[in-house]
Amino acid sequence: MSAGSPPDGFVRISTHVLDTVRGEPARNIEVRLDRRDSGGWAPVAHGRTDHDGRLTDWTPLLDRVPLRGWQAGGYRLVFLVERYYPPGAAFFPEIVVSFQITDPDRHHHVPLLLSPYGYTTYRGS
C-alpha cells in the first residue's frame, strides 16, 4: 500500500513528523494507529517514519480486520517519540492525536511538528 490510492476498504491515512528544532524530518519514529469501538481503543496497525519522516505504509496488528473495515468514527495516532531523543530529553515521551473520520473514502493526512518540549498537529492534505 502506498499513499494516494490504496485499494478500496484499506486505511487511507498518512503522517509526516518534522523535528522543528533540527529543521529536518524525524526518522524512525514508531507510530500506532488505534480505532475506537464499543470496548474502547483497539490498535489496528503500526509503522515507522521513513528517511523523510513520512509514514504511508502500515503493518496490520494481529488479525484485527487487517486495515480493512476503514469506516467513519474515532481514530488516534500514538507517536512513541521517547527513543527519538537522547535518554531523558523527551518531556512528552508519547504523543496521542485523536481525530474523527466522517468521510472514510477520503485520504487523511495528520502531520506532527515535534520538539522536546512541545508539539503541534493539524489536518493536512
Side-chain angles (χ1 to χ4, degrees), residues 19-94:
D19 184 324
T20 60
V21 172
R22 295 179 180 156
E24 62 185 39
R27 299 168 183 88
N28 203 32
I29 290 184
E30 185 178 350
V31 184
R32 189 181 73 234
L33 174 65
D34 296 344
R35 178 171 44 209
R36 188 173 53 222
D37 58 25
S38 60
W41 292 104
V44 293
H46 70 103
R48 289 187 176 276
T49 57
D50 64 14
H51 70 283
D52 195 33
R54 297 180 184 276
L55 197 164
T56 56
D57 295 327
W58 295 92
T59 302
L61 287 170
L62 306 171
D63 56 355
R64 297 184 180 274
V65 195
L67 301 189
R68 288 195 176 271
W70 185 235
Q71 58 198 11
Y75 291 85
R76 71 181 179 188
L77 291 172
V78 180
F79 297 87
L80 304 172
V81 300
E82 186 170 30
R83 292 186 194 155
Y84 176 75
Y85 292 107
F91 184 74
F92 298 103
E94 178 181 283

Side-chain angles (χ1 to χ4, degrees), residues 13-17 31 49 53-55 58 77 79 109-112:
I13 186 165
S14 60
T15 188
H16 189 194
V17 184
V31 184
T49 57
R54 297 180 184 276
L55 197 164
W58 295 92
L77 291 172
F79 297 87
H109 185 65
V110 183
L112 181 71

Side-chain angles (χ1 to χ4, degrees), residues 99-122:
F99 52 97
Q100 195 72 16
I101 298 293
T102 57
D103 183 359
D105 293 326
R106 183 177 179 186
H107 177 85
H108 293 80
H109 185 65
V110 183
L112 181 71
L113 304 177
L114 181 63
S115 76
Y117 298 101
Y119 61 90
T120 301
T121 188
Y122 56 95

